[in-house]
Amino acid sequence: QVQLVESGGGSVESGGSLRLSCAVSEYTYSRYYIGWFRQAPGKEREGVATIDSNGRTKYADSVKGRFTISQDNAKNTLALQMNSLKPEDTAMYYCAAAFGTYYSFGWYLDPAAFAYWSQGTQVTVSS
């Protein structure tokens, strides 16, 4: 069973930075997609950024130019560097993974495509 354990998060003022990390217990297939999602109270879960096994990335329009997704394959970790944070970035953040299945680029930020999820970590940005 694949396990994802994330760390980081916390509270920061508007304009500040935070870094999230996610440890992936195993990669069950050479083709994979690993991403970050978030859910604010009363809102649906939304995709933030995803990277695939070829290094292709996709970002939500709301975070382009501010957030950067990266991976360290040697350490089986995924990171999300978040800069220029805004109050609207406040949410519970999750990392998620999908293995094996081919997904077109349009699915990269769709939570329905991901089978494995972390426990979530809170990010709060104050104005």
Side-chain angles (χ1 to χ4, degrees):
Q1 180 74 6
V2 176
Q3 294 184 336
L4 293 85
V5 179
E6 65 179 304
S7 58
S11 297
V12 66
E13 292 186 350
S14 181
S17 298
L18 285 172
R19 184 178 179 87
L20 305 180
S21 296
C22 177
V24 184
S25 63
E26 61 179 307
Y27 291 77
T28 57
Y29 291 93
S30 58
R31 176 188 290 146
Y32 61 82
Y33 312 81
I34 301 181
W36 293 96
F37 296 78
R38 66 187 182 186
Q39 188 168 18
K43 295 187 177 181
E44 293 186 354
R45 190 169 297 189
E46 62 176 0
V48 175
T50 293
I51 188 166
D52 70 12
S53 47
N54 292 317
R56 190 180 188 188
T57 59
K58 184 173 185 176
Y59 294 90
D61 289 342
S62 59
V63 307
K64 283 180 180 177
R66 300 189 298 122
F67 291 12
T68 302
I69 189 171
S70 61
Q71 60 179 344
D72 184 338
N73 290 338
K75 298 181 179 179
N76 283 9
T77 59
L78 180 75
L80 184 69
Q81 178 66 40
M82 303 184 292
N83 299 328
S84 302
L85 282 161
K86 304 175 181 180
E88 51 264 43
D89 294 319
T90 295
M92 186 72 77
Y93 282 71
Y94 303 86
C95 62
F99 298 94
T101 303
Y102 169 77
Y103 288 115
S104 63
F105 199 57
W107 280 91
Y108 277 37
L109 297 180
D110 191 328
F114 292 78
Y116 303 96
W117 292 84
S118 67
Q119 76 283 3
T121 188
Q122 179 67 36
V123 171
T124 302
V125 184
S126 58
S127 58

